[in-house]
Amino acid sequence: MAGKIRLEDRECPLSSALGHVGEWWTLLILHDAFDGYTRFDQFQANLGVSSSILTSRLKTLTGQGLLERRRYQTRPDRYEYVLTDLGRSLRPVVVALAAWGNSRLDPSERSMILVDRNTGVEADPVIVDRSTGRPLDAADFVFAAGPAASEAMRKRYEHIPTESAHSDG
């Protein structure tokens, strides 16, 4: 996926994230992992993906530290793919993408919804600022150059004032 990132986007966290999870099968494999799937044959049966594509994506996901490959059987050796902490940290992203997909549908047309495990009540996920609790989809939240920004990135966002919440001053 790195070949799709333009030179000027290499410092962009969105480009970097898409380099990890921006392929169709990758997000679907992660979704299955969040649902408890761990074995090659489970992923393949559920997704209907070819062996070669699944092998490639699982290798990439383990190489990036999102999944861990663990032997669960010997003679013959068999492996499972378990989410790492880094992999589990992507769950809110997948939840947000699914919620966005559902938001475009009539409730009667939704084939999968997010519910509270204990009550069965459907959730309506939103992404909020941890400090204020305000939803981040409002126009008053914008991207700005961060402390490690290149000159090009600083120029792109020079019209946005910043005061980092993580500054030492």
Side-chain angles (χ1 to χ4, degrees), residues 16-79:
S16 174
L18 287 173
H20 291 285
V21 297
E23 294 179 359
W24 169 275
W25 292 114
T26 300
L27 282 174
L28 295 178
I29 291 166
L30 288 170
H31 174 241
D32 278 3
F34 295 134
D35 281 350
Y37 293 85
T38 60
R39 297 188 179 169
F40 188 96
D41 59 335
Q42 292 174 317
F43 291 120
Q44 190 171 34
N46 189 55
L47 297 172
V49 61
S50 74
S51 302
S52 62
I53 289 175
L54 182 55
T55 298
S56 172
R57 295 309 183 272
L58 289 171
K59 184 176 180 179
T60 298
L61 287 166
T62 56
Q64 294 172 335
L66 300 173
L67 294 176
E68 179 183 337
R69 185 174 182 242
R70 294 183 189 161
R71 183 179 13 234
Y72 68 88
Q73 174 185 311
T74 57
R75 294 190 179 151
D77 286 346
R78 300 246 188 247
Y79 295 88

Side-chain angles (χ1 to χ4, degrees), residues 65-132:
L66 300 173
L67 294 176
E68 179 183 337
R69 185 174 182 242
R70 294 183 189 161
R71 183 179 13 234
Y72 68 88
Q73 174 185 311
T74 57
R75 294 190 179 151
D77 286 346
R78 300 246 188 247
Y79 295 88
E80 64 181 354
Y81 298 86
V82 180
L83 285 160
T84 63
D85 288 343
L86 183 61
R88 280 188 294 279
S89 73
L90 280 168
R91 189 168 191 279
V93 175
V94 173
V95 166
L97 280 171
W100 180 81
N102 273 343
S103 73
R104 302 176 8 251
L105 300 173
D106 184 80
S108 66
E109 297 173 328
R110 297 174 181 171
S111 61
M112 179 185 76
I113 59 173
L114 183 69
V115 299
D116 181 304
R117 181 186 305 271
N118 296 318
T119 66
V121 174
E122 185 173 356
D124 184 14
V126 295
I127 299 175
V128 299
D129 175 44
R130 185 185 308 270
S131 300
T132 65

